[in-house]
């Protein structure tokens, strides 16, 4: 992966002079191993960007394929064999297509991030509980309040000093089954992918809400976009952590939450251009 990244950077350096700055910046900053994520404000810019990216990278032998877009007209100039398999011969206006973007479920038609859950969620041991927990992929932490409840069950099993394959108590199994029944509702969670489609922002602000309790602590971050006559806020990212098994005071847990918020603020300022 590191060799591939260096080759991509070198491609932008060697052949980028005849292409737009936006195109070169995406080659340098928007690749994650072999996936490219690009987002622009209008279809014309997206169409031009896609064409220039294909041309630029082809000069070094990189052939970009599996193209996907929330606006089908962006893909009209891309050969069908280079589109995502799910998009070939498909009417996006009539069908909802869900693709993965860096492991996150993306409903292309509605331009929303969604969640999928494992089919096998039965657990009677600590090992099985951890296996199901690991299958809930949520890198942005948008369902972390729900996932935290399962982590609390796992922490309680650790507190009981159960072995990995020791049977759980009837009370722990009941708590787990209640959580599993509610897990199916996660499929109904839909988060808009785009932050600012409703207005032309004149100002951006980051707002972080952090707190701690005896069970856990966490932070949720929002972006506030102020327009001339309208303001819109969108959730960006959240993190939730279990409180340590060794008892900590509430003020200390609140300080841990504040530290988490400060680190997340630095991360978002660095990543959100």
């Amino acid at each position: 992966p590191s060799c591939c990244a260096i080759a991509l950077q070198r491609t932008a350096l060697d052949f980028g002079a005849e292409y737009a700055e936006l195109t070169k910046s995406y080659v340098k900053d928007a690749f994650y191993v072999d996936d490219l994520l690009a987002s622009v404000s209008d279809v014309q810019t997206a169409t031009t960007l896609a064409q220039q990216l294909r041309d630029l990278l082809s000069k070094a032998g990189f052939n970009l394929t599996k193209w996907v877009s929330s606006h089908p007209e962006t893909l009209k100039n891309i050969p069908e064999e280079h589109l995502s398999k799910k998009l070939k011969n498909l009417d996006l206006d009539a069908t909802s297509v869900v693709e993965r973007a860096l492991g996150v479920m993306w409903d292309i038609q509605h331009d929303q991030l969604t969640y999928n859950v494992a089919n096998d969620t039965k657990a009677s041991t600590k090992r099985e509980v951890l296996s199901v927990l690991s299958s809930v992929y949520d890198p942005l932490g948008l369902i972390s309040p729900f996932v935290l409840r399962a982590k609390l069950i796992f922490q309680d099993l650790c507190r009981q000093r159960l072995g990995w394959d020791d049977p759980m108590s009837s009370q722990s199994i009941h708590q787990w089954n209640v959580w599993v029944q509610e897990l199916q509702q996660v499929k109904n969670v839909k988060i808009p992918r785009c932050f600012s489609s409703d207005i032309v922002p004149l100002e951006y602000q980051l707002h972080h809400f952090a707190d701690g309790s005896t069970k856990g602590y966490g932070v949720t971050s929002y972006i506030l976009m102020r327009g001339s006559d309208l303001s819109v806020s969108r959730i960006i990212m959240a993190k939730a952590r279990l409180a340590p098994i060794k008892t900590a005071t509430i003020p200390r847990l609140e300080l841990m939450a504040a530290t988490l918020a400060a680190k997340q603020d630095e991360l978002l300022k660095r990543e959100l251009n």
Side-chain angles (χ1 to χ4, degrees), residues 18-20 22-24 26-27 36 38 40 43-59 62-64 67 73-79 82:
E18 57 191 278
Y19 296 92
L22 180 67
T23 304
K24 291 184 287 185
Y26 272 116
V27 173
L36 167 72
V40 293
V43 170
Q44 181 58 48
T45 304
T47 303
T48 303
L49 176 64
Q51 186 61 48
Q52 288 200 358
L53 282 169
R54 292 173 65 237
D55 289 346
L56 171 57
L57 293 179
S58 68
K59 293 181 181 299
F62 291 104
N63 183 26
L64 294 186
W67 285 86
E73 54 268 38
T74 303
L75 308 175
K76 288 181 178 178
N77 295 324
I78 297 176
H82 291 171

Side-chain angles (χ1 to χ4, degrees), residues 99-135:
E99 273 280 5
R100 286 183 179 271
L102 300 182
V104 178
M105 307 303 292
W106 175 31
D107 183 337
I108 300 170
Q109 181 188 23
H110 302 102
D111 204 12
Q112 296 173 329
L113 303 182
T114 64
Y115 289 88
N116 198 6
V117 295
N119 294 322
D120 185 11
T121 53
K122 294 180 180 180
S124 57
T125 65
K126 190 168 75 172
R127 187 188 304 276
E128 291 172 344
V129 167
L130 182 61
S131 176
V132 175
L133 255 176
S134 302
S135 70

Side-chain angles (χ1 to χ4, degrees), residues 68-204:
V68 176
S69 175
S70 56
H71 288 69
E73 54 268 38
T74 303
L75 308 175
K76 288 181 178 178
N77 295 324
I78 297 176
E80 186 175 312
E81 63 270 20
H82 291 171
L83 300 180
S84 167
K85 291 181 179 178
K86 293 184 179 180
L87 296 186
K88 294 177 182 178
N89 302 315
L90 192 64
D91 182 3
L92 274 183
D93 295 329
T95 309
S96 182
V97 180
V98 177
E99 273 280 5
R100 286 183 179 271
L102 300 182
V104 178
M105 307 303 292
W106 175 31
D107 183 337
I108 300 170
Q109 181 188 23
H110 302 102
D111 204 12
Q112 296 173 329
L113 303 182
T114 64
Y115 289 88
N116 198 6
V117 295
N119 294 322
D120 185 11
T121 53
K122 294 180 180 180
S124 57
T125 65
K126 190 168 75 172
R127 187 188 304 276
E128 291 172 344
V129 167
L130 182 61
S131 176
V132 175
L133 255 176
S134 302
S135 70
V136 181
Y137 187 64
D138 182 31
L140 297 176
L142 300 179
I143 56 171
S144 54
F146 178 72
V147 176
L148 186 70
R149 288 175 47 211
K151 290 181 178 179
L152 284 167
I153 297 173
F154 181 79
Q155 186 184 59
D156 188 54
L157 297 176
C158 295
R159 192 178 283 113
Q160 297 172 30
R161 298 185 181 277
L162 283 183
W164 282 106
D165 297 305
D166 292 342
M168 295 160 53
S169 67
S170 57
Q171 181 181 0
S172 296
I173 289 176
H174 172 72
Q175 291 176 332
W176 179 257
N177 289 337
V178 170
W179 184 82
V180 165
Q181 288 175 1
E182 297 177 3
L183 180 62
Q184 301 304 317
Q185 298 178 24
V186 169
K187 295 179 180 178
N188 299 323
V189 175
K190 301 181 188 299
I191 307 292
R193 181 202 58 82
C194 185
F195 290 156
S196 58
S197 61
D198 302 323
I199 62 172
V200 178
L202 303 175
E203 179 188 15
Y204 294 95

Side-chain angles (χ1 to χ4, degrees), residues 220-246:
T220 306
S221 299
Y222 294 83
I223 187 167
L224 176 65
M225 296 153 287
R226 295 187 182 277
S228 56
D229 55 0
L230 179 68
S231 294
V232 175
S233 66
R234 292 278 190 271
I235 187 171
I236 304 178
M237 188 177 179
K239 283 186 180 178
R241 297 283 186 268
L242 288 171
I245 290 181
K246 184 178 179 180

